[in-house]
Short mmCIF file of all heavy atoms in Angstrom, two decimals:
data_model
loop_
_atom_site.label_atom_id
_atom_site.label_comp_id
_atom_site.label_asym_id
_atom_site.label_seq_id
_atom_site.Cartn_x
_atom_site.Cartn_y
_atom_site.Cartn_z
N SER A 111 57.25 64.99 148.45
CA SER A 111 57.36 63.91 149.45
C SER A 111 56.38 62.77 149.16
O SER A 111 55.69 62.28 150.05
CB SER A 111 57.13 64.45 150.88
OG SER A 111 58.18 65.30 151.25
N HIS A 112 56.31 62.36 147.89
CA HIS A 112 55.43 61.25 147.48
C HIS A 112 53.99 61.48 147.88
O HIS A 112 53.29 60.54 148.24
CB HIS A 112 55.90 59.92 148.08
CG HIS A 112 57.29 59.55 147.68
ND1 HIS A 112 57.63 59.13 146.42
CD2 HIS A 112 58.43 59.56 148.39
CE1 HIS A 112 58.91 58.88 146.36
NE2 HIS A 112 59.43 59.13 147.54
N GLY A 113 53.55 62.72 147.89
CA GLY A 113 52.14 62.99 148.17
C GLY A 113 51.86 63.54 149.55
O GLY A 113 50.76 63.95 149.84
N ALA A 114 52.88 63.58 150.43
CA ALA A 114 52.65 64.06 151.79
C ALA A 114 52.59 65.59 151.87
O ALA A 114 52.06 66.14 152.83
CB ALA A 114 53.72 63.53 152.73
N GLU A 115 53.11 66.28 150.85
CA GLU A 115 53.11 67.75 150.86
C GLU A 115 52.51 68.26 149.55
O GLU A 115 52.76 67.69 148.49
CB GLU A 115 54.54 68.29 150.94
CG GLU A 115 55.32 67.91 152.16
CD GLU A 115 56.69 68.55 152.11
OE1 GLU A 115 57.58 68.02 151.44
OE2 GLU A 115 56.83 69.62 152.70
N ARG A 116 51.76 69.38 149.65
CA ARG A 116 51.21 69.96 148.42
C ARG A 116 51.21 71.47 148.47
O ARG A 116 51.04 72.06 149.53
CB ARG A 116 49.81 69.46 148.19
CG ARG A 116 49.42 69.60 146.71
CD ARG A 116 48.07 69.05 146.44
NE ARG A 116 47.09 70.12 146.50
CZ ARG A 116 45.79 69.91 146.37
NH1 ARG A 116 45.32 68.71 146.22
NH2 ARG A 116 44.97 70.93 146.42
N ALA A 117 51.38 72.09 147.33
CA ALA A 117 51.35 73.55 147.24
C ALA A 117 50.98 73.96 145.83
O ALA A 117 50.94 73.13 144.93
CB ALA A 117 52.70 74.14 147.62
N ARG A 118 50.73 75.27 145.65
CA ARG A 118 50.54 75.81 144.31
C ARG A 118 51.49 76.96 144.14
O ARG A 118 51.67 77.77 145.04
CB ARG A 118 49.09 76.28 144.15
CG ARG A 118 48.77 76.54 142.70
CD ARG A 118 47.27 76.64 142.47
NE ARG A 118 47.03 76.67 141.02
CZ ARG A 118 45.97 77.23 140.48
NH1 ARG A 118 45.04 77.76 141.24
NH2 ARG A 118 45.82 77.24 139.16
N VAL A 119 52.11 77.04 142.97
CA VAL A 119 53.06 78.12 142.69
C VAL A 119 52.27 79.39 142.42
O VAL A 119 51.42 79.43 141.54
CB VAL A 119 53.94 77.79 141.46
CG1 VAL A 119 54.93 78.93 141.21
CG2 VAL A 119 54.68 76.46 141.67
N MET A 120 52.53 80.45 143.22
CA MET A 120 51.88 81.73 143.05
C MET A 120 52.93 82.74 142.58
O MET A 120 54.13 82.46 142.59
CB MET A 120 51.26 82.19 144.37
CG MET A 120 50.36 81.15 145.05
SD MET A 120 49.01 80.57 144.04
CE MET A 120 47.83 81.90 144.31
N ARG A 121 52.46 83.93 142.23
CA ARG A 121 53.39 84.93 141.71
C ARG A 121 54.47 85.26 142.73
O ARG A 121 55.61 85.53 142.37
CB ARG A 121 52.62 86.19 141.32
CG ARG A 121 53.22 86.95 140.18
CD ARG A 121 52.22 87.91 139.54
NE ARG A 121 51.15 87.23 138.83
CZ ARG A 121 51.29 86.65 137.64
NH1 ARG A 121 52.46 86.67 137.03
NH2 ARG A 121 50.27 86.05 137.06
N HIS A 122 54.13 85.25 144.01
CA HIS A 122 55.10 85.64 145.05
C HIS A 122 55.42 84.48 145.97
O HIS A 122 55.47 84.66 147.18
CB HIS A 122 54.59 86.85 145.83
CG HIS A 122 54.31 88.02 144.96
ND1 HIS A 122 55.33 88.73 144.35
CD2 HIS A 122 53.15 88.57 144.52
CE1 HIS A 122 54.81 89.70 143.61
NE2 HIS A 122 53.50 89.62 143.69
N GLY A 123 55.61 83.30 145.46
CA GLY A 123 55.99 82.18 146.32
C GLY A 123 54.98 81.06 146.25
O GLY A 123 54.27 80.91 145.26
N LEU A 124 54.94 80.27 147.33
CA LEU A 124 54.10 79.08 147.34
C LEU A 124 52.88 79.27 148.22
O LEU A 124 52.99 79.80 149.31
CB LEU A 124 54.88 77.88 147.88
CG LEU A 124 55.95 77.27 147.00
CD1 LEU A 124 56.57 76.08 147.70
CD2 LEU A 124 55.37 76.86 145.66
#
Side-chain angles (χ1 to χ4, degrees):
S111 293
H112 301 288
E115 299 182 278
R116 202 177 95 184
R118 193 164 189 206
V119 180
M120 309 303 278
R121 211 162 291 285
H122 302 290
L124 287 182

